[in-house]
Amino acid sequence: MESSAIPIKRRKLDGNYDELSREELLETIHRLENVVEHLKNSKNKDLTGKVEDPKRKIDFSKYKKRRVAFKILYLGWDYDGFVVQDNTDNTIEYHLFQALIKGCLIEDRSSSNYHRCGRTDQGVSSFSQVISLTVRSRLTDEAPNSEELPYCRILNGLLPNDIRVLAWASVADNFSARFSCKMRTYKYWFPRGDLKIEKMDEAVKSVIGLHDFRNLCKMDVANGVVDFHRRIHDAAVTSVSKNGILHQAEFDMCELTITGEAFLWHQIRAIISVLFLVGQEKESPEIFEKLLDINDCPRKPQYNLSSPLPLNLFSCKFDDVSWIIDQESLSKVISSLQSHWTSSAVKCCMLENFLKQFQLSSSCSFPSNPYSVLFKDANSKSYKPLLSRPTSRSLEDRISHFVTKGRLKLEPKKSLPKSD
C-alpha cells in the first residue's frame, strides 16, 4: 500500500535483527535469498526498465508526447508485489515497463515522469490501480484531432494475461496518480466460519475518521514515514455471497470494504487481523478504540498480519478524469477474466464435492474456522490478549535510532491534526 514516505528507491535493511519478529526475520531471509539468486541469474541486468531491441527503435524526438493515466487490473497472487525490485523480475511494474518500452510508448522509465496510485504488496491484486506517465502520441500540430494510438490494445498485446489495461485518460501535465488521488477503496474477502460478522462490523466503525494508526500498520520510519495520521471515510464488514453445494453458513463469503484518502504500509492487513480476533470473540469491539488511543497505548502489541491473498485495491477516485475505453480491448479483458474464473470455479467445485463426500460419509464435523489459512493466530490454543502482549519499539525510539545513524532528517515539527 502507498505510504507518505520520503521517496527512496528501495527499502533498506535496518540491521536491528534482534528486534524483529519471527515473521519479519523470515521475510528478511527470504528477501536476501532472492537477491543472491537474482544476482547469479542476471549479473549485468538493467533494472531501470530499459529494453534493447534494435528492431523496435524509433526516434522519439519526432513524435508528440502527452500526459496520460492508465487504469490497470491485475491478479497479484503469483507476483512479488506491484513495485519493481532489484531481486526479482516478478513484479507488476516490471512487466508494465517492459510493455511500455517494447510498444514504443516511452523511451525509458526515467524520462516518463511516472507515478503510481497504490503500492500493493506481494500477493495483493487490483481491479483499478492507476498509473500516470508521459507517452508517445500520434497527434500532430497538423492533425490535432486525428485518432490516437490504441494504447490499451498495444499494452494488452504485450502484457501477461493476468495484467490488463482497462482504460486510459488524457490528464493535465501536473497530474499525479499518487498525489491527485482523492480516495482509495480496498476490499478483503474471507469465509465466515464461526466469526461474528456483526461484531466485526461494529468494531471496524471505530477506525472511521482521522486517527494515528501507528499500532495498526508496519511502521516504515527507515523510509521517512514519521506521521501515522490517516483519514478513513468508510469501513464495513458484510456477508456478500451464500455457500455453494455444502449448504453451510460457515462457507459464506464476507468482505471488509474500507475507503480512505491514503493508507500506510500493511495498514489494512493489520486491521483485518484485529478484526479476526474480534470475530472470534477473543477481543471486544472496543479494541480498536484502545489501539488508536496513542496516549494509553503508545507501543504496538505484537501480532501476526493476515494473508495478502484476499486483498484488492478496488478503486481509485480522481476529480475531472474522463476514462476512454476501447471496447474491443475491453471485450478481450472480460474474456480473459472469464477464463480465469472458469479455471478457478472448476477447481472450487471439485474441492466442494470432495468436502461434500466427507460430509455425507463421515461422522467427522468440519472445522468451524475455514478462514484460519488467512490468519496464523486463528488456531492458537492459548490466547494472550493484545494489550497484554510484548510491544514493539515506540515511534520515538525508532525515529531517534535512524536520526542517530544519519538515515533520517526531520523537518521542523508541524502541529498534527486532532484525531476525530
Side-chain angles (χ1 to χ4, degrees), residues 65-205:
K65 293 182 180 180
R66 70 185 307 175
R67 188 79 177 154
V68 301
F70 289 124
K71 183 183 290 188
I72 301 163
L73 175 152
Y74 52 87
L75 306 177
W77 310 317
D78 297 323
Y79 290 94
D80 294 325
F82 184 82
V83 179
V84 68
Q85 301 171 35
D86 57 3
N87 61 338
T88 177
D89 294 340
N90 189 36
T91 67
I92 309 297
E93 212 170 61
Y94 174 84
H95 289 289
L96 282 172
F97 276 99
Q98 292 289 301
L100 285 162
I101 295 169
K102 287 180 180 179
C104 297
L105 297 183
I106 64 171
E107 191 167 8
D108 54 47
R109 175 171 178 158
S110 61
S111 62
S112 67
N113 192 16
Y114 168 78
H115 291 89
R116 69 182 82 88
C117 184
R119 182 188 181 115
T120 55
D121 296 325
Q122 180 179 13
V124 178
S125 301
S126 178
F127 179 66
S128 294
Q129 171 75 277
V130 174
I131 65 171
S132 58
L133 69 172
T134 301
V135 297
R136 179 170 67 95
S137 172
R138 178 184 283 169
L139 307 184
T140 64
D141 293 335
E142 293 74 24
N145 298 317
S146 59
E147 188 176 348
E148 186 54 280
L149 290 167
Y151 293 126
C152 296
R153 272 179 275 174
I154 290 173
L155 291 172
N156 288 339
L158 296 168
L159 287 165
N161 66 7
D162 49 6
I163 306 173
R164 302 283 87 181
V165 179
L166 301 180
W168 71 278
S170 178
V171 295
D173 290 341
N174 62 351
F175 178 91
S176 164
R178 178 183 176 188
F179 297 109
S180 300
C181 184
K182 302 299 182 183
M183 215 78 69
R184 296 164 173 86
T185 296
Y186 283 84
K187 288 181 179 288
Y188 192 102
W189 289 281
F190 57 94
R192 177 191 293 270
D194 58 2
L195 296 170
K196 301 296 186 288
I197 301 302
E198 296 78 10
K199 289 193 175 184
M200 294 173 72
D201 184 55
E202 175 190 348
V204 81
K205 301 304 182 191

Side-chain angles (χ1 to χ4, degrees), residues 370-386:
Y371 54 84
S372 61
V373 68
L374 306 175
F375 184 52
K376 292 181 180 178
D377 284 350
N379 291 322
S380 58
K381 294 182 179 179
S382 59
Y383 182 74
K384 191 168 187 178
L386 280 179

Side-chain angles (χ1 to χ4, degrees), residues 323-391:
W323 294 104
I324 299 170
I325 298 173
D326 183 323
Q327 292 298 334
E328 179 183 343
S329 179
L330 186 61
S331 295
K332 292 181 179 179
V333 170
I334 294 172
S335 177
S336 176
L337 277 180
Q338 188 170 1
S339 296
H340 284 291
W341 176 86
T342 300
S343 298
S344 299
V346 167
K347 292 176 183 177
C348 185
C349 184
M350 186 183 297
L351 292 170
E352 285 181 344
N353 272 280
F354 291 172
L355 289 170
K356 185 177 182 181
Q357 291 307 307
F358 284 112
Q359 186 183 46
L360 295 173
S361 61
S362 172
S363 58
C364 297
S365 59
F366 287 175
S368 60
N369 53 354
Y371 54 84
S372 61
V373 68
L374 306 175
F375 184 52
K376 292 181 180 178
D377 284 350
N379 291 322
S380 58
K381 294 182 179 179
S382 59
Y383 182 74
K384 191 168 187 178
L386 280 179
L387 299 183
S388 300
R389 298 184 185 186
T391 58

